[in-house]
Amino acid sequence: MSEKELRRYSRVVVDGNEQAPSRAMLRAVGFSEEDFRRPQIGIASTWSMVTPCNMHIGSLAEEAAQAADEAGGKGIIFNTISVSDGISMGTPGMRYSLVSREIIADSIEAVTAAEGFDGLVAIGGCDKNMPACVMAMARLNRPAVFVYGGTIRPGAERRDIVSVFEAVGALSGGRISDAELLEVEQTAIPGPGACGGMYTANTMASAIEALGMSLANSSAQEAVSAQKKQDCRRASAAVMNLIDKDIKPLDIMTKEAFENAITVVIALGGSTNAVLHLIAMAREANVDLGLEDFTRIGATVPVLADVKPSGKYLMAELIAIGGIQPLMKRLLDRGMLHGECMTVTGKTVAENLADVADYSAEQDIIRGFDDPIKSDSHLAILYGNLAPEGSVAKISGKEGLRFEGSARVFHSEEEALQAILDDTVRSGDIIVVRYEGPKGGPGMREMLSPTSAIMGRGLGAEVALITDGRFSGGSHGFVVGHISPEAAVGGPIALIENGDTIVIDAQSKQINVDVDEGELARRRDRWHRPPSPVRRGALAKYRAEVASASEGAVTIPPEWDE
């Protein structure tokens, strides 16, 4: 390619006498005369000190920028926001978590397009950062690579953030003392990095690698490691190669690539949030992906990874045996991955995996196909008179495959959590948490606090929880989220009353309330949506534009009247 072709976007900003003011501004931020002739590589950093997931990303961005310069480009670091789920969990602040996905995507799009960057490296370290980065890449469709900030190292006694949430429930149930809770709190989070199990951060990092938008093993490196620094450097070099070969995100993010991502998420026993985020990412890439694709693929893909929250091992232990590349090679050899899909290496999935060695025979983190954790997907898409548009259950099989119980209804997460902690919730109850959906929250909060309290009190096999909100990747037990339509728009979950019998059946893929249609119609006639204190700001904008959880909870702007 010619120099101008390599600088498809930046030349509009810096070439010609009329752009002298632009060059003058750029000289002040460190551009040399030679830099104006180089492709500009935006380095989207999600660094902040609001969470350990992202506190180290500033230094990783510097590595990427330096490597971009060394590869013949000009690296330019810019920041976007981050919201800590672990800190805001169980509080009103958690309503901003999913909203932040849209804000991050919008901000990366705005800076990259406004400044005329020719390529993009985006580094994300917490749940919403990652899908947001990829959503922006799809919108912009400029050569781009995503870098995962990396997982945290295990705390004392292999603890992590979920250990703390479950310890709160254990304290309320009299199973541990105040001193023991404090000791867990003080030792669970040893430093930088995303939460340590196969929760949403590690799930999405793995999904994006399988999608082809990250380099090999980007998902399986510790945050504080030489490998992670090298990953950032390799990403900048890869973007320069993508610019040279004119390979863009929409060349990579095909329907088949999303099917690869779903397959890997299932094999890893990943988070229910992957359903929400992959659908949202696919929408930005103009790929038709829906709940039915998770059901179709899940029918034949087993859960192979014995990882937390339902299993035994942490991400750091999966890293030690080789990460997800050997798993992907096994899936490819089994005919479960599309090997022809292009990736950010400039090579196909099959080419990238050609020389990957299998796991050691001694490891027991990744099972064989003849001895799976579960023979089909743990992500069960359930329909029925409670979820006409669908819902997402995380059923590992350890909880059983069917739960029938009596509804105990709450209009907020806080009400439900208090009832769990004060022993109001009893064995056989199905906790219903409603008005926590995308519009109802607004913001679709995660229910890690109540689900962890259930587990901490030893009720995991005796109580179920359903919600139009969603779950942290750290949640486990018999839980069903994303119930659509949500309560705030008059969905059937709004019509449940205390004592109603609810049946959740993961085998028949059904979730139903045992109330006849006539009674439900009478209840609907009496229904009124509760008032919301949200009147302005980001949450109000989100509520006005957000789609159903079954559509990825993406924001859909009003139609422009031509």
Side-chain angles (χ1 to χ4, degrees):
M1 281 189 177
S2 69
E3 177 192 287
K4 282 195 172 183
E5 288 173 321
L6 289 172
R7 297 188 297 111
R8 178 173 297 176
Y9 304 98
S10 63
R11 63 190 168 112
V12 177
V13 177
V14 299
D15 284 6
N17 291 337
E18 67 276 15
Q19 294 307 121
S22 303
R23 294 193 297 273
M25 295 284 282
L26 289 168
R27 292 180 196 277
V29 298
F31 270 60
S32 68
E33 200 66 42
E34 182 184 354
D35 289 336
F36 294 121
R37 296 189 291 272
R38 294 167 171 249
Q40 294 184 24
I41 309 301
I43 312 296
S45 167
T46 57
W47 171 85
S48 73
M49 290 302 291
V50 303
T51 172
C53 307
N54 296 62
M55 62 187 288
H56 62 301
I57 286 178
S59 63
L60 295 181
E62 291 173 1
E63 294 279 351
Q66 182 181 26
D69 294 350
E70 293 170 358
K74 176 60 179 176
I76 306 170
I77 299 172
F78 67 97
N79 266 84
T80 182
I81 67 162
S82 183
V83 170
S84 173
D85 292 3
I87 295 171
S88 62
M89 195 75 69
T91 76
M94 186 63 193
R95 293 191 175 98
Y96 287 91
S97 171
L98 189 57
V99 177
S100 76
R101 186 187 72 182
E102 313 305 305
I103 296 171
I104 294 164
D106 290 349
S107 66
I108 293 174
E109 174 200 351
V111 175
T112 302
E115 301 302 314
F117 297 146
D118 300 293
L120 181 66
V121 173
I123 310 172
C126 199
D127 297 11
K128 305 324 151 302
N129 302 164
M130 288 175 276
C133 289
V134 177
M135 289 163 69
M137 290 172 176
R139 288 182 200 171
L140 292 158
N141 200 30
R142 303 180 188 190
V145 175
F146 175 76
V147 175
Y148 178 38
T151 192
I152 197 171
R153 290 174 176 166
E157 299 185 28
R158 301 176 63 253
R159 291 176 179 138
D160 62 7
I161 187 61
V162 176
S163 306
V164 189
F165 278 99
E166 293 187 357
V168 173
L171 176 70
S172 73
R175 301 170 71 193
I176 64 171
S177 66
D178 288 338
E180 288 172 310
L181 173 60
L182 179 60
E183 199 265 333
V184 172
E185 174 191 330
Q186 291 174 333
T187 60
I189 311 295
C195 300
M198 193 51 66
Y199 312 144
T200 305
N202 284 319
T203 296
M204 290 312 302
S206 302
I208 293 168
E209 183 175 327
L211 184 68
M213 289 301 297
S214 291
L215 296 174
N217 278 325
S218 185
S219 70
Q221 295 160 343
E222 291 185 348
V224 182
S225 66
Q227 291 80 10
K228 184 47 64 183
K229 289 182 180 179
Q230 188 60 28
D231 186 32
C232 294
R233 301 186 68 83
R234 291 171 55 233
S236 290
V239 169
M240 292 295 292
N241 181 55
L242 293 171
I243 292 173
D244 183 57
K245 292 186 174 182
D246 196 27
I247 297 173
K248 297 183 286 293
L250 297 189
D251 299 321
I252 296 170
M253 297 169 65
T254 62
K255 179 65 176 278
E256 291 76 17
F258 278 100
E259 291 180 346
N260 285 348
I262 292 171
T263 296
V264 169
V265 166
I266 292 169
L268 289 169
S271 168
T272 53
N273 280 319
V275 178
L276 200 70
H277 295 324
L278 286 171
I279 291 174
M281 290 156 56
R283 185 183 180 91
E284 297 288 0
N286 299 314
V287 169
D288 183 16
L289 193 75
L291 294 176
E292 65 280 0
D293 293 298
F294 288 83
T295 298
R296 172 176 56 83
I297 295 168
T300 58
V301 177
V303 179
L304 300 175
D306 187 11
V307 290
K308 288 190 173 187
S310 297
K312 178 179 178 182
Y313 293 101
L314 291 163
M315 190 66 180
E317 293 163 310
L318 178 56
I319 291 170
I321 65 165
I324 72 166
Q325 288 283 296
L327 172 62
M328 289 181 63
K329 180 68 180 299
R330 287 185 178 185
L331 293 167
L332 178 68
D333 291 345
R334 194 84 171 188
M336 293 181 173
L337 291 183
H338 300 284
E340 73 281 4
C341 291
M342 180 54 63
T343 74
V344 292
T345 65
K347 299 178 180 179
T348 66
V349 169
E351 289 171 332
N352 289 340
L353 295 174
D355 297 323
V356 171
D358 198 9
Y359 297 112
S360 162
E362 284 72 41
Q363 67 84 29
D364 62 349
I365 300 174
I366 302 295
R367 301 271 191 92
F369 290 100
D370 57 347
D371 182 33
I373 301 291
K374 192 171 185 287
S375 61
D376 59 358
S377 180
H378 63 301
L379 298 175
I381 308 302
L382 310 182
Y383 294 90
N385 69 355
L386 267 185
E389 294 178 5
S391 62
V392 182
K394 188 177 185 180
I395 309 294
S396 70
K398 296 179 181 179
E399 312 86 351
L401 297 174
R402 187 179 188 278
F403 196 106
E404 180 175 339
S406 179
R408 195 177 289 271
V409 182
F410 303 95
H411 283 200
S412 72
E413 178 187 1
E414 287 88 349
E415 290 179 13
L417 177 61
Q418 188 56 48
I420 296 165
L421 295 177
D422 68 15
D423 208 27
T424 299
V425 169
R426 298 301 179 93
S427 176
D429 283 346
I430 295 182
I431 301 166
V432 180
V433 185
R434 63 192 181 197
Y435 299 106
E436 291 285 10
K439 289 183 179 292
M444 203 178 183
R445 288 194 288 180
E446 293 180 344
M447 301 293 144
L448 181 57
S449 292
T451 59
S452 295
I454 289 168
M455 301 306 292
R457 289 183 66 88
L459 294 171
E462 302 171 33
V463 170
L465 189 152
I466 69 172
T467 180
D468 52 8
R470 60 197 176 96
F471 297 107
S472 161
S475 291
H476 57 124
F478 217 110
V479 296
V480 184
H482 307 200
I483 290 178
S484 301
E486 61 175 292
V489 299
I493 190 174
L495 310 179
I496 301 172
E497 295 182 358
N498 283 319
D500 286 347
T501 297
I502 296 173
V503 179
I504 307 165
D505 193 323
Q507 288 185 304
S508 65
K509 304 291 193 295
Q510 288 281 308
I511 178 168
N512 291 293
V513 59
D514 188 15
V515 177
D516 66 59
E517 283 302 312
E519 173 59 18
L520 288 176
R522 287 187 288 274
R523 292 180 186 182
R524 185 171 286 107
D525 289 339
R526 299 193 301 267
W527 174 78
H528 295 283
R529 182 172 56 238
S532 170
V534 174
R535 291 286 183 268
R536 63 182 67 186
L539 292 179
K541 293 175 187 176
Y542 184 81
R543 180 176 59 203
E545 296 185 351
V546 70
S548 164
S550 63
E551 299 176 88
V554 294
T555 50
I556 303 175
E559 289 293 324
W560 182 258
D561 188 11
E562 296 290 349

